[in-house]
Amino acid sequence: MSEAVKGPASYFPSIEKKYGRPIAEWKDLIRTSPLTRHMELVSWLKTEHGLGHGHANALVAHTLAETSAG
């Protein structure tokens, strides 16, 4: 049996369903944004793209963790 997805990625199915864009597209937007700080990116996703705080926070946290690990 596979383990349940935890952390920020657990939001991904509902983000894709609610906003109609794949997660890869959101991550590309975050990576290409001139903003670099976590809360700046969260605010930007909320104001420019209409995401809720939890969804924006999950996307930013996951994307920045990948970027810093790479």
Side-chain angles (χ1 to χ4, degrees):
M1 204 178 229
S2 64
E3 198 170 316
V5 177
K6 293 183 176 133
S10 66
Y11 285 91
F12 290 177
S14 60
I15 291 170
E16 288 182 333
K17 184 176 180 182
K18 184 167 184 172
Y19 304 105
R21 288 176 129 160
I23 295 304
E25 200 173 305
W26 289 114
K27 288 183 171 191
D28 286 343
L29 280 172
I30 293 166
R31 286 188 196 106
T32 58
S33 168
L35 304 173
T36 56
R37 294 178 57 222
H38 182 99
M39 288 311 297
E40 288 176 335
L41 287 160
V42 170
S43 294
W44 172 70
L45 287 172
K46 289 166 63 176
T47 58
E48 295 297 316
H49 298 282
L51 271 72
H53 182 81
H55 287 163
N57 192 54
L59 283 167
V60 171
H62 198 270
T63 305
L64 293 182
E66 283 181 339
T67 305
S68 66

